[in-house]
Short mmCIF file of all heavy atoms in Angstrom, two decimals:
data_model
loop_
_atom_site.label_atom_id
_atom_site.label_comp_id
_atom_site.label_asym_id
_atom_site.label_seq_id
_atom_site.Cartn_x
_atom_site.Cartn_y
_atom_site.Cartn_z
N PRO A 25 -7.16 -18.59 -36.69
CA PRO A 25 -6.57 -19.93 -36.70
C PRO A 25 -7.58 -21.04 -36.98
O PRO A 25 -7.20 -22.14 -37.36
CB PRO A 25 -5.94 -20.08 -35.31
CG PRO A 25 -6.60 -19.07 -34.47
CD PRO A 25 -7.04 -17.95 -35.38
N ALA A 26 -8.85 -20.74 -36.83
CA ALA A 26 -9.89 -21.73 -37.14
C ALA A 26 -10.18 -21.80 -38.64
O ALA A 26 -10.97 -22.62 -39.08
CB ALA A 26 -11.16 -21.42 -36.37
N GLN A 27 -9.53 -20.92 -39.42
CA GLN A 27 -9.77 -20.89 -40.85
C GLN A 27 -8.51 -21.10 -41.68
O GLN A 27 -8.55 -21.04 -42.89
CB GLN A 27 -10.39 -19.54 -41.25
CG GLN A 27 -11.75 -19.34 -40.65
CD GLN A 27 -12.33 -18.00 -41.02
OE1 GLN A 27 -11.66 -16.97 -40.90
NE2 GLN A 27 -13.56 -18.00 -41.48
N LEU A 28 -7.38 -21.34 -41.04
CA LEU A 28 -6.11 -21.46 -41.75
C LEU A 28 -5.54 -22.86 -41.57
O LEU A 28 -5.38 -23.33 -40.45
CB LEU A 28 -5.13 -20.42 -41.23
CG LEU A 28 -3.81 -20.29 -41.98
CD1 LEU A 28 -4.03 -19.94 -43.45
CD2 LEU A 28 -2.94 -19.24 -41.32
N ILE A 29 -5.23 -23.52 -42.68
CA ILE A 29 -4.78 -24.91 -42.69
C ILE A 29 -3.36 -24.97 -43.23
O ILE A 29 -3.07 -24.36 -44.26
CB ILE A 29 -5.69 -25.77 -43.58
CG1 ILE A 29 -7.14 -25.67 -43.11
CG2 ILE A 29 -5.21 -27.22 -43.61
CD1 ILE A 29 -8.14 -26.16 -44.14
N LEU A 30 -2.49 -25.71 -42.56
CA LEU A 30 -1.17 -26.03 -43.12
C LEU A 30 -1.31 -27.37 -43.81
O LEU A 30 -1.57 -28.39 -43.17
CB LEU A 30 -0.10 -26.07 -42.03
CG LEU A 30 1.33 -26.26 -42.54
CD1 LEU A 30 1.73 -25.14 -43.52
CD2 LEU A 30 2.31 -26.31 -41.39
N ASP A 31 -1.17 -27.37 -45.12
CA ASP A 31 -1.44 -28.54 -45.95
C ASP A 31 -0.15 -29.25 -46.36
O ASP A 31 0.91 -28.65 -46.37
CB ASP A 31 -2.20 -28.09 -47.20
CG ASP A 31 -2.93 -29.22 -47.88
OD1 ASP A 31 -2.98 -30.35 -47.35
OD2 ASP A 31 -3.48 -28.97 -48.97
N HIS A 32 -0.27 -30.51 -46.71
CA HIS A 32 0.83 -31.36 -47.18
C HIS A 32 1.85 -31.64 -46.09
O HIS A 32 3.03 -31.84 -46.38
CB HIS A 32 1.52 -30.76 -48.42
CG HIS A 32 0.61 -30.58 -49.58
ND1 HIS A 32 0.18 -31.63 -50.34
CD2 HIS A 32 0.02 -29.48 -50.09
CE1 HIS A 32 -0.63 -31.18 -51.28
NE2 HIS A 32 -0.75 -29.88 -51.14
N CYS A 33 1.43 -31.66 -44.83
CA CYS A 33 2.34 -31.96 -43.72
C CYS A 33 2.83 -33.40 -43.85
O CYS A 33 2.04 -34.33 -43.86
CB CYS A 33 1.63 -31.76 -42.38
SG CYS A 33 1.14 -30.06 -42.10
N ASP A 34 4.15 -33.55 -43.95
CA ASP A 34 4.71 -34.87 -44.22
C ASP A 34 5.58 -35.40 -43.09
O ASP A 34 6.29 -36.38 -43.26
CB ASP A 34 5.48 -34.87 -45.53
CG ASP A 34 6.63 -33.87 -45.53
OD1 ASP A 34 6.85 -33.20 -44.50
OD2 ASP A 34 7.31 -33.76 -46.57
N GLY A 35 5.55 -34.77 -41.94
CA GLY A 35 6.36 -35.25 -40.83
C GLY A 35 6.36 -34.28 -39.67
O GLY A 35 5.72 -33.23 -39.71
N PRO A 36 7.10 -34.62 -38.63
CA PRO A 36 7.12 -33.77 -37.43
C PRO A 36 7.66 -32.37 -37.68
O PRO A 36 7.25 -31.43 -36.99
CB PRO A 36 8.02 -34.53 -36.46
CG PRO A 36 8.45 -35.78 -37.11
CD PRO A 36 7.87 -35.83 -38.48
N ASP A 37 8.56 -32.19 -38.64
CA ASP A 37 9.07 -30.84 -38.91
C ASP A 37 7.94 -29.91 -39.34
O ASP A 37 7.90 -28.74 -38.96
CB ASP A 37 10.15 -30.87 -39.99
CG ASP A 37 11.45 -31.49 -39.51
OD1 ASP A 37 11.64 -31.59 -38.27
OD2 ASP A 37 12.28 -31.87 -40.37
N ALA A 38 7.04 -30.43 -40.17
CA ALA A 38 5.90 -29.62 -40.61
C ALA A 38 5.01 -29.25 -39.44
O ALA A 38 4.60 -28.09 -39.31
CB ALA A 38 5.10 -30.39 -41.66
N LEU A 39 4.73 -30.20 -38.61
CA LEU A 39 3.86 -29.94 -37.45
C LEU A 39 4.52 -28.99 -36.47
O LEU A 39 3.87 -28.10 -35.92
CB LEU A 39 3.48 -31.25 -36.78
CG LEU A 39 2.75 -32.26 -37.68
CD1 LEU A 39 2.51 -33.56 -36.92
CD2 LEU A 39 1.46 -31.69 -38.21
N ASN A 40 5.82 -29.14 -36.25
CA ASN A 40 6.55 -28.26 -35.33
C ASN A 40 6.59 -26.82 -35.83
O ASN A 40 6.34 -25.88 -35.07
CB ASN A 40 7.96 -28.78 -35.08
CG ASN A 40 7.97 -30.05 -34.26
OD1 ASN A 40 7.04 -30.34 -33.52
ND2 ASN A 40 9.03 -30.83 -34.42
N LEU A 41 6.92 -26.65 -37.12
CA LEU A 41 6.97 -25.29 -37.67
C LEU A 41 5.58 -24.68 -37.66
O LEU A 41 5.40 -23.53 -37.26
CB LEU A 41 7.55 -25.29 -39.08
CG LEU A 41 7.61 -23.92 -39.77
CD1 LEU A 41 8.49 -22.95 -38.99
CD2 LEU A 41 8.10 -24.05 -41.19
N GLY A 42 4.60 -25.46 -38.09
CA GLY A 42 3.23 -24.94 -38.12
C GLY A 42 2.73 -24.53 -36.76
O GLY A 42 2.15 -23.46 -36.59
N THR A 43 2.96 -25.36 -35.76
CA THR A 43 2.54 -25.04 -34.40
C THR A 43 3.25 -23.79 -33.91
O THR A 43 2.64 -22.91 -33.30
CB THR A 43 2.82 -26.23 -33.46
OG1 THR A 43 2.13 -27.37 -33.94
CG2 THR A 43 2.38 -25.92 -32.05
N GLY A 44 4.54 -23.68 -34.21
CA GLY A 44 5.31 -22.51 -33.81
C GLY A 44 4.82 -21.22 -34.45
O GLY A 44 4.95 -20.15 -33.86
N LEU A 45 4.25 -21.33 -35.63
CA LEU A 45 3.73 -20.15 -36.32
C LEU A 45 2.28 -19.85 -35.96
O LEU A 45 1.73 -18.84 -36.38
CB LEU A 45 3.86 -20.32 -37.84
CG LEU A 45 5.27 -20.23 -38.39
CD1 LEU A 45 5.30 -20.62 -39.86
CD2 LEU A 45 5.82 -18.82 -38.21
N GLY A 46 1.64 -20.74 -35.22
CA GLY A 46 0.26 -20.49 -34.79
C GLY A 46 -0.81 -21.28 -35.52
O GLY A 46 -2.00 -21.06 -35.29
N PHE A 47 -0.41 -22.20 -36.39
CA PHE A 47 -1.41 -23.04 -37.04
C PHE A 47 -2.06 -23.96 -36.02
O PHE A 47 -1.40 -24.47 -35.12
CB PHE A 47 -0.76 -23.91 -38.14
CG PHE A 47 -0.47 -23.19 -39.41
CD1 PHE A 47 0.77 -22.60 -39.60
CD2 PHE A 47 -1.40 -23.12 -40.42
CE1 PHE A 47 1.07 -21.94 -40.77
CE2 PHE A 47 -1.12 -22.47 -41.60
CZ PHE A 47 0.12 -21.87 -41.78
N ARG A 48 -3.35 -24.20 -36.20
CA ARG A 48 -4.07 -25.17 -35.38
C ARG A 48 -4.67 -26.28 -36.23
O ARG A 48 -5.09 -27.29 -35.70
CB ARG A 48 -5.18 -24.49 -34.59
CG ARG A 48 -4.66 -23.68 -33.44
CD ARG A 48 -5.78 -23.44 -32.46
NE ARG A 48 -5.83 -22.02 -32.13
CZ ARG A 48 -6.91 -21.38 -31.74
NH1 ARG A 48 -8.05 -22.01 -31.66
NH2 ARG A 48 -6.86 -20.12 -31.43
N LEU A 49 -4.76 -26.05 -37.54
CA LEU A 49 -5.33 -27.03 -38.46
C LEU A 49 -4.25 -27.53 -39.41
O LEU A 49 -3.53 -26.74 -40.01
CB LEU A 49 -6.48 -26.41 -39.26
CG LEU A 49 -7.64 -25.84 -38.45
CD1 LEU A 49 -8.63 -25.14 -39.36
CD2 LEU A 49 -8.33 -26.95 -37.67
#
């Protein structure tokens, strides 16, 4: 998780899905 980035996050839905999948960046 210290090497994987969820890019182009444009709102809370992106952050919620990413967090739920284990993204930290």
Side-chain angles (χ1 to χ4, degrees):
Q27 295 178 311
L28 187 59
I29 303 164
L30 186 58
D31 199 7
H32 300 285
C33 296
D34 59 2
D37 289 342
L39 301 176
N40 290 337
L41 178 61
T43 302
L45 288 172
F47 282 91
R48 286 199 230 153
L49 301 174

